[in-house]
Amino acid sequence: MNGAAALALTAGTAQAAAVTEKLVIVQNGENIGTVTGTTDGASVSVDYYVDDNGRGPKHKENLTIGAGGIPTSWTVGGTSLMGGSVNESFKWEGGQASWTSQADKGAVPAAKAPLYVVNDDSPWALGVYARALLKAPGNSLPLLPAGTMRLVKVKATTLGAGKDALPLTLYRIEGVNLQPDYVLLDKAGRLFATFGGHYLTIRQGHEKEAHAIQALGAEAERALARDRQKALAHRYTQPVRIRNVHVFDARTGTLGGLSTVIVLRDRITAVMPSDQDPFGGNGAQPDDQVIVDGQGGTLMPGLHDMHSHTTLDSGLFYLAAGVTETRDMGNDNAFLQDMMPRIEAGELAGPRITPNGFLEGRSPYSARFGIIPETVADAVKAVDWYADRGYFQIKIYNSMTPDWVRPIADEAHKRGMTVTGHVPAFDTPDRCIRDGYSEITHINQLMLGWLLKPEEDTRTPLRLTAMARAADLDLNSAPVQATVKLMVDGHIAHDPTAVILERLMLSRAGVTPPGDVDYLDNMPIGYQRYRKRTFVPLKSPADDQAYVKAFGKVLETLKLLHDKGIRLLPGTDDVTGFTVHREMELYTMAGISPAEVLRLSTLSPEEYMGHGDLGTVERGKLADLVLIAGDPTQDIRAVKKPRLVMKGGAIYYPSEIYQSLSIKPFADAPPVTVPKVMEGPGDSLGAPGLFGGGHDDDLGD
């Protein structure tokens, strides 16, 4: 070999040793971020950048890959979703594994490197996990700091055809987060794509295949959701007799004496005092009905989340929490139009959905879903598109041009819709109300009107961080009182989502947030750690105290609005149901009675949306019902442990749902007796038990 050839070979070998892979993050057809990984032997460096609606994680990672594809070191540095600092590290050496993250830190003896789950991770991490799991016995590995991760092969597929054909394999990663993650690997085991929720991460150069990949992912997610619905929805052709319950009257805010409630499919056919129930005593029971023993608990109408963004996974979480209806405040329109009829038909689990049409303006900070009109004429046409499809309201977002609000609202009113939303950047709540809003979304959007200077831009994280200024806000000041008067005079409603403000403003690294205390220990390890982080930038102890004091002012504002007769619409901007419970609890912390909060969370939304068939437990009403053990009119926290939920003619047992989602249940199912003649295979017969419990005559004893 001559010198030139040797030099060329050496250069080629060096070039091959370092491989750079770039993926792009896509939302609603637009690129919002990148993931760039460079592998040089066992060393990997990753650059992760997301700019979604003015926010998103931005950090760098460095890994060393050891035996079995398991990292022996992993560092992450940068900022998280809302700008909070990230400085995470893991290392295995000398028979010991140690780690430090926002959530926790520790050190444990380890004969070999454990699979560490990164707290502030990126899509790249999913490829690392998948490759390690492929080499593990049973495609399963114990995790540090806790838990177990599993890899499930979903299907092999081919992208493209002929010489451009690219064989890929789709896998599902389970056991760490609330929802499974999906990854596509090529034949070499390299990451080609990940997806979940409304994001898609795909190898650069293949963006034209994004639609095909999203369709593949959607079908995989739907298949899993369909299987879970078949296993968890219990349907009966005969009456279901719920005995020994106290019925919550949402009109009066009181509990009645012991009663029996009878349901046939999806309608309530009887509500009667127990002493008038012909089968109420002496152990007597009809031999052709399903009997539920409420054991003295409370039967109430289903709860609502008046600020949701539906996902394929959200349905079971909502039902397990007793949430039987949501208002979707903005979504990928094609996804939602496909999803809603599937839920209505019983193919997929989920609450009833009332959709709002999302309109955003065009700017570098735009949210990438709903419709982003380029002109005011396009915005008016978008209103008509939503109206033709029966959407309840128009929701306006941060980047909308303030001068477009009035023509949008005029068209919405003409089409029988009202308008809600954020206060667009450089606009004010007062002007939005005058221009046609009938509701303001998010309590920070309302309060920022009293805190910001006219030139400040709320398309950025300022819409959160500026809330620290509320610490010294005078609620008796002229600006506050002027806005409140406008709301009272115009019958303007408010959707506070106070729980999300609490989560962000009071988030602190290594600490369980106050709103998560009652449920977090039951959750998968990845979600537990995700919640124990600082989302807001804190430069000093004074910043910390300002946020704490400011959130106290949020609660005072809630009480002020309620006392003035302004309709509050409990919502969360989340999809788990746990935050619905906390939103309700926050209202009681603000000084609103538990009984009134229950009314706000059951009957009041139905009145607001004109749904006369729901909201109370009465003969002829739809049987969207929740059974809990305690008395929520005395302690609102009782709603956090539903035992049985009915919706759409199906019975769900939260204990079963949580077991299927790798969550430790919070309450047992009530005793249920199914007549022997009705027992048998299939989800329309038999007693609950597909995720534990079997076909016993009495469940919960």
Side-chain angles (χ1 to χ4, degrees), residues 92 128 241 322 491 571:
W92 174 76
V128 174
R241 198 177 199 93
H491 304 286

Short mmCIF file of all heavy atoms in Angstrom, two decimals, residues 92 128 241 322 491 571:
data_model
loop_
_atom_site.label_atom_id
_atom_site.label_comp_id
_atom_site.label_asym_id
_atom_site.label_seq_id
_atom_site.Cartn_x
_atom_site.Cartn_y
_atom_site.Cartn_z
N TRP A 92 -21.07 5.30 36.97
CA TRP A 92 -20.82 3.98 37.58
C TRP A 92 -19.34 3.68 37.49
O TRP A 92 -18.76 3.67 36.40
CB TRP A 92 -21.62 2.90 36.85
CG TRP A 92 -21.29 1.51 37.35
CD1 TRP A 92 -21.69 0.94 38.51
CD2 TRP A 92 -20.47 0.54 36.69
NE1 TRP A 92 -21.19 -0.33 38.63
CE2 TRP A 92 -20.43 -0.60 37.51
CE3 TRP A 92 -19.76 0.52 35.48
CZ2 TRP A 92 -19.71 -1.75 37.17
CZ3 TRP A 92 -19.05 -0.62 35.14
CH2 TRP A 92 -19.02 -1.74 35.97
N VAL A 128 -31.24 5.05 23.38
CA VAL A 128 -30.29 4.40 24.29
C VAL A 128 -30.99 3.30 25.08
O VAL A 128 -30.49 2.16 25.18
CB VAL A 128 -29.65 5.43 25.23
CG1 VAL A 128 -28.76 4.75 26.28
CG2 VAL A 128 -28.86 6.46 24.45
N ARG A 241 -77.89 -1.94 39.91
CA ARG A 241 -78.54 -1.41 41.11
C ARG A 241 -77.46 -1.02 42.11
O ARG A 241 -76.76 -1.87 42.66
CB ARG A 241 -79.48 -2.48 41.69
CG ARG A 241 -80.53 -1.97 42.65
CD ARG A 241 -81.44 -3.11 43.11
NE ARG A 241 -82.68 -2.61 43.64
CZ ARG A 241 -83.80 -2.45 42.92
NH1 ARG A 241 -83.80 -2.77 41.64
NH2 ARG A 241 -84.90 -1.98 43.49
N GLY A 322 -62.55 9.90 37.98
CA GLY A 322 -63.94 10.31 38.10
C GLY A 322 -64.32 11.46 37.20
O GLY A 322 -65.38 12.07 37.37
N HIS A 491 -71.05 39.45 32.53
CA HIS A 491 -71.23 38.02 32.83
C HIS A 491 -70.10 37.20 32.22
O HIS A 491 -70.31 36.17 31.58
CB HIS A 491 -72.60 37.53 32.33
CG HIS A 491 -73.75 38.31 32.87
ND1 HIS A 491 -74.18 38.19 34.17
CD2 HIS A 491 -74.55 39.26 32.29
CE1 HIS A 491 -75.20 39.01 34.38
NE2 HIS A 491 -75.44 39.68 33.26
N GLY A 571 -60.62 23.95 35.63
CA GLY A 571 -59.88 23.28 34.56
C GLY A 571 -58.43 23.18 34.94
O GLY A 571 -57.98 23.77 35.93
#
